[in-house]
Amino acid sequence: MNVLIIEDEPLTAQNLELLLYEYDPQIRVLAQLPSVSKSVQWFKAPQPLQPDLIFLDIHLEDDLGFSLIKELNLTIPIIFTTAFDQYALQAFKANSIDYLLKPIETEELAAAIDKFKLVRQNPSMTLLDTTALNQLMKKLDPPAYRDRFLVSIGPRLRTIRTDEIAYFFFEDKATYVTPHSGIPVSIDYSLDRLGQLVDPDRFYRVNRSFLVSASAIKSVYAYTGSKLKVELVPPPRQEVFVSVDRVTSFKEWMGK
């Protein structure tokens, strides 16, 4: 079975591929694609193999995964992956399309693939009802901001809820997230991208290296050169200053 993974979180995509191989070592993952635009490019380029099944994240880095289906008029069976609650996807259950809630569990993945195999053996079963798709697209807007992130801690994967996060920071060519518990872990996003994914009322990019939560700010001090020094909890490994060109907007943000 040839599988295509369309997922904008690298750790989630890697974990899904590992789970697929655990389910069946003969499965062939043709590619991992992070966006609608790159997926369109992939499908329009000559491919030696086409997927039998697609795992499609509903919210990709540039658009809803549903827009890919409409643009390419895809008829390939799809299993959706999402961090959304189940109620929004019930329409698909009636149309033989399954979905997996993140973080993806082995048993749920196996059940979804088993369901796909049953559907494939019965060509008369409808895999995609475009009416249901259009109705769901009207209801399902992209979430404004992420409510959780997937991180790796050694060989273990876990999710960190956004309200648990004190700050993100960039150091030694890597990005880290520090929860209020105080132990930083690496995360597969740039600070620029993270700034788009979190609520700007709750997080502020104080400088090139730190994106901080209002809940993590203990004190702010006037410093030389018109800069501001920010005291964070838990304390980071380096002192944190607000860039001079951001002082005014930082004060406005603090006063909201």
Side-chain angles (χ1 to χ4, degrees), residues 167-169 191 204-211 236 238 240:
Y167 48 85
F168 303 93
F169 67 96
L191 285 186
Y204 187 86
R205 181 80 174 270
V206 296
N207 55 42
R208 293 179 62 186
S209 301
F210 276 83
L211 175 64
Q238 56 183 286
V240 178

Side-chain angles (χ1 to χ4, degrees), residues 45-194:
Q47 301 294 338
L49 297 170
Q50 289 295 314
D52 301 303
L53 176 65
I54 299 172
F55 285 86
L56 177 61
D57 186 8
I58 288 180
H59 295 287
L60 296 167
E61 63 183 28
D62 59 350
D63 205 345
L64 285 174
F66 300 130
S67 64
L68 176 67
I69 300 172
K70 297 196 72 174
E71 181 169 349
L72 296 177
N73 194 25
L74 286 179
T75 57
I76 299 168
I78 293 171
I79 294 176
F80 291 100
T81 60
T82 178
F84 257 24
D85 291 335
Q86 298 182 12
Y87 77 90
L89 297 174
Q90 290 303 320
F92 286 107
K93 280 295 187 180
N95 294 289
S96 302
I97 293 179
D98 214 337
Y99 64 90
L100 299 170
L101 291 174
K102 300 177 187 177
I104 297 170
E105 302 290 341
T106 303
E107 295 80 7
E108 294 176 355
L109 174 64
I113 297 177
D114 289 343
K115 180 179 179 181
F116 158 70
K117 290 180 177 179
L118 288 174
V119 172
R120 186 166 62 172
Q121 292 171 4
N122 186 354
S124 64
M125 294 182 69
T126 301
L127 279 174
L128 183 61
D129 185 309
T130 55
T131 301
L133 175 62
N134 290 332
Q135 290 175 349
L136 186 57
M137 287 187 70
K138 292 178 181 178
K139 295 179 181 178
L140 189 59
D141 293 324
Y145 309 109
R146 289 287 177 91
D147 62 359
R148 57 183 172 178
F149 291 89
L150 187 71
V151 298
S152 59
I153 304 173
R156 187 166 60 94
L157 297 175
R158 63 156 291 196
T159 55
I160 297 180
R161 292 189 59 81
T162 305
D163 56 17
E164 298 177 54
I165 295 171
Y167 48 85
F168 303 93
F169 67 96
F170 183 78
E171 183 178 85
D172 296 329
K173 299 181 180 181
T175 307
Y176 299 87
V177 54
T178 300
H180 290 294
S181 60
I183 303 174
V185 292
S186 63
I187 187 168
D188 285 333
Y189 290 96
S190 67
L191 285 186
D192 287 341
R193 178 61 176 151
L194 288 167

